[in-house]
Structure formats: C-alpha cells, structure tokens
Amino acid sequence: MADRGLIGRELGTVRFPVERGKLAELARSFDAPEPLWSDREAAREAGFDDIPAPPTATVVADLWREHGALDGAIRLGLDTTNLLHGEASWQFFAPVRCGDELTARSSVVDVNERVGKRGGAMTLVAIETSYTNQHGEQVATRRDVVVEKGGNSSAR
C-alpha cells in the first residue's frame, strides 16, 4: 500500500562537476554535433557564452550517488526487482554550462497507488531533485516518478 507518510522525506544530496568529457559523451549518444558540446570556440561561434549542457546532463548526478540510479528507491525500501521508471520532467531556471559544479538535493513529493490495466496495484513515488550551481543559484528541477509493481511496497 502507498505510504503517503514518505512525502517530504529527504533522499540525500550529492555534488558533481559538469565536465567537458561527459558532455561530449552525451552529445555522441544523441548523435549531436560534437564540437558544440566539447569545444568552447565552436560553442561561442554558435552563440553560447561557454559550452552548454544538454538538459539531460543533470542525470549524471545519479551516477554520483551510493547506489546509482536506484539510490532513492533503495533508500525508500522499494522492491527494485519490480520497479519501473514512469516518467521524468525538467524545469530550467538558468543555463547549465561546462565547468559548473551542481548540487542535487532529492526528496519525495508525492506517493499514490493505482490499479494497473492488467490488474494489481502499483505504487507511484514522485521524487523531485533540485539543482543549484556553485553560486547557490537554482538552475533546474527534475521530477521523476518511479513505479513499484505489485502494490506490496515495503517503503518505510
């Protein structure tokens, strides 16, 4: 059963650099023109002050957590063998650039239970991550919904 008492629970903070090499790797994975994402001169020629980071660069924060992308689910006691990633959305307040050092703080913002199309309960946990840069400015917010199939959440 969905435990709405989890709302507000902090899931940890991690600090990580936005590195040029990682941006180039992300660009290659998107089949995007690499010079824009790795070369300052190419970025300036394209009208950017510095090498820009693609929106999904904030996902790198998950790799800095103890249990990687499953860290939040493990901290909540969810059954990771029955876990799905339901959705992700971002809201940006300022550009993220190469050389920034971001701090990501995650917490549970909602918990619900639904019945699946094939029957069986599903627990939906919304996790919000706030990103601030090295100047203390909030640059982005990411909201993820993880779905635990089976409805027998062991979340505490």
Side-chain angles (χ1 to χ4, degrees), residues 54-56 58 90-96 139-141:
T56 54
T58 57
W90 285 263
Q91 182 176 11
F92 287 89
F93 307 104
V96 175
V139 295
T141 299

Side-chain angles (χ1 to χ4, degrees), residues 4-107:
R4 296 196 49 83
L6 293 173
I7 297 172
R9 182 164 171 189
E10 296 287 328
L11 298 176
T13 299
V14 65
R15 193 169 174 92
F16 67 101
V18 179
E19 300 171 311
R20 189 162 101 173
K22 289 294 176 195
L23 295 179
E25 289 171 8
L26 283 170
R28 272 188 237 112
S29 74
F30 300 141
D31 198 24
E34 187 180 331
L36 172 66
W37 306 102
S38 61
D39 182 275
R40 283 187 168 82
E41 198 54 42
R44 286 187 180 114
E45 287 175 12
F48 294 95
D49 294 336
D50 204 341
I51 297 172
T56 54
T58 57
V59 175
V60 172
D62 295 341
L63 302 175
W64 288 77
R65 298 184 187 281
E66 181 180 357
H67 302 288
L70 292 176
D71 194 70
I74 290 169
R75 289 178 188 273
L76 292 171
L78 299 177
D79 178 1
T80 59
T81 63
N82 285 309
L83 203 64
L84 301 169
H85 187 262
E87 64 183 71
S89 62
W90 285 263
Q91 182 176 11
F92 287 89
F93 307 104
V96 175
R97 294 184 176 91
C98 179
D100 282 349
E101 185 160 285
L102 300 183
T103 299
R105 290 181 178 83
S106 299
S107 61

Side-chain angles (χ1 to χ4, degrees), residues 3 19 48 53 57 63 74 91 100 108 111 115 123 131 138 144:
D3 181 357
E19 300 171 311
F48 294 95
L63 302 175
I74 290 169
Q91 182 176 11
D100 282 349
V108 176
V111 179
V115 175
T123 299
Y131 299 88
Q138 184 175 10
D144 293 283

